[in-house]
């Protein structure tokens, strides 16, 4: 089997292959998205390839593995990495998917898989030592009635519980500014923030500008809050629930000290209220960031039989996963994270494109 990087010329054939194998079509095979997701991210990371691999037998496609390249910050050093998005093989092509994953692992010191199936993680974890990370889900109620209307179960206990979640009052002197770009001031906050991070994508201003401000399909809101406690940055999108009137805010990034985050989030919540949001949520595993949001009034999603806060909205659907798995592997030369360093991993739902509607 011949393995090489995908080019724009391969996209029509890949589209047909995916439609046959998956009975669906992928956004990755549209040229504007392909250029943004793979070519531009590889350029920002100064990577040697675009992360999108294809397996060929003669002129026939038998497998593909789509991952976007990135620089990874790992315990004070910059390493080469990628987040895997899609991985499919023709059932009749023995080993087609395995060979691609072996090749991808050999090219990256870090490789992550977002929201994997049991089948894919079964292969992935046998090729290189793998760490399983689950993202905590925090939420903040904005409108009790709208939130309850989205839930599968509705009763007086649910209403009382939703009414009991309160966001801290804004502190005097804290301001919020809407932004259209990430600049040098952001980089200063990020460079200070990353000192308290054990592992994450290196979220420089160039990376964040590409990921959120230049996204070809989704509109995000970016704000900076500032006050005595410091400066924090928040990124979210507002998702209209399909065929319904409700809107849900999907928080994607929170960058700042816990104190700055705690002081800034009430102003973000106020923006959600202006936008008629029902509730907002955030998937992350970085303990200091989560602690700042919890102090501000966000709450971990409750796993109760009669309190099922939905996760999917396009269309609205129940889903058993209230936390999301984001396993990753590092080369044996880098080794595993030291004990006590896992709470300082910063991974969000936006990694691996899991912040898309209905993901």
């Amino acid at each position: 089997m011949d393995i090489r990087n995908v080019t724009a010329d391969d996209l029509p054939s890949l589209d047909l292959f995916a439609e046959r194998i998956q009975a669906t079509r992928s956004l990755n095979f549209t040229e504007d998205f392909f250029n943004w997701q793979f070519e531009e991210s590889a350029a920002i990371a100064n990577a040697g390839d675009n992360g999108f691999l294809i397996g060929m037998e003669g002129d026939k496609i038998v497998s593909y593995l789509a991952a976007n390249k990135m620089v990874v910050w790992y315990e004070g050093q910059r390493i080469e990495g990628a987040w895997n998005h899609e991985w499919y093989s023709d059932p009749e092509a023995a080993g087609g998917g395995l060979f691609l994953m072996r090749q991808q692992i050999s090219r990256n010191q870090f490789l992550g898989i977002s929201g994997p199936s049991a089948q894919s993680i079964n292969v992935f974890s046998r090729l290189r030592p793998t760490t399983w990370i689950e993202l905590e889900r925090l939420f903040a109620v904005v409108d009790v009635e709208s939130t309850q209307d989205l839930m599968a179960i509705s009763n007086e206990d649910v209403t009382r519980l939703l009414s009991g979640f309160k966001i801290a009052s804004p502190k005097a002197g804290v301001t919020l500014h809407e932004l259209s770009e990430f600049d040098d001031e952001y980089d200063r906050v990020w460079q200070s923030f990353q000192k308290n991070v054990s592992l994450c994508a290196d979220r420089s201003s160039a990376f964040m500008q590409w990921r959120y401000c230049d996204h070809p399909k989704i509109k995000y809101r970016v704000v900076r809050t500032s006050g005595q406690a410091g400066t924090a940055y928040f990124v979210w999108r507002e998702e209209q629930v399909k065929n319904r009137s409700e809107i849900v805010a999907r928080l994607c990034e929170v960058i700042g000290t816990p104190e700055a985050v705690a002081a800034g989030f009430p102003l973000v919540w106020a923006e959600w209220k202006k936008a008629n949001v029902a509730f907002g949520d955030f998937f992350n595993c970085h303990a200091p960031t989560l602690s700042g949001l919890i102090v501000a009034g966000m709450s971990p999603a409750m796993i109760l039989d009669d309190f099922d806060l939905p996760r999917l909205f396009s269309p609205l659907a129940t889903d058993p996963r209230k936390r999301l798995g984001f396993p990753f592997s590092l080369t044996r030369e880098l080794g595993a994270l030291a004990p006590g360093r896992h709470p300082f991993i910063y991974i969000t739902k936006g990694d691996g494109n899991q912040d898309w509607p209905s993901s």
Side-chain angles (χ1 to χ4, degrees), residues 76 81 84 93 95 109 122 134 144 149 195 260:
N84 185 69
Q109 294 169 286
N122 195 30
E134 288 193 350
V144 172
D149 286 346
K195 295 175 183 176

Side-chain angles (χ1 to χ4, degrees), residues 137 147 150-151 237 239-244 246-250 278-279 281 283 309-318 349 356-359:
R137 186 193 190 194
T147 300
L150 291 171
M151 298 176 71
R237 65 179 178 86
E239 182 175 350
Q240 178 79 52
V241 181
K242 189 174 182 179
N243 298 324
R244 296 178 63 101
E246 294 88 359
I247 299 169
V248 178
R250 319 310 301 268
F279 73 92
D281 65 2
F283 288 81
L309 195 70
R311 187 177 69 84
L312 304 176
F313 304 99
S314 297
L316 180 67
T318 57
K349 195 181 180 188
W356 287 4
S358 275
S359 63

Side-chain angles (χ1 to χ4, degrees), residues 5 17 30-31 45 99 135 143-144 146-148 152 177-178 208 218 220 237 260 272 274 277 358:
N5 281 114
F17 173 78
T30 59
E31 190 165 355
F99 296 142
L135 307 191
D143 183 273
V144 172
S146 295
T147 300
Q148 185 162 335
H177 297 280
E178 192 121 14
M208 296 289 274
I218 299 175
Y220 296 90
R237 65 179 178 86
W272 294 355
K274 291 177 189 176
V277 163
S358 275

Side-chain angles (χ1 to χ4, degrees), residues 115-134:
S117 65
Q119 184 180 30
S120 62
I121 192 61
N122 195 30
V123 175
F124 184 69
S125 62
R126 279 165 172 74
L127 293 175
R128 199 161 73 183
T130 299
T131 299
W132 180 272
I133 290 292
E134 288 193 350

Side-chain angles (χ1 to χ4, degrees), residues 135-137 283 301-303 308-311 318-324:
L135 307 191
E136 180 73 80
R137 186 193 190 194
F283 288 81
M302 298 177 176
I303 304 174
D308 187 5
L309 195 70
R311 187 177 69 84
T318 57
D319 188 277
R321 295 177 297 171
K322 303 308 174 190
R323 297 157 67 105
L324 295 180

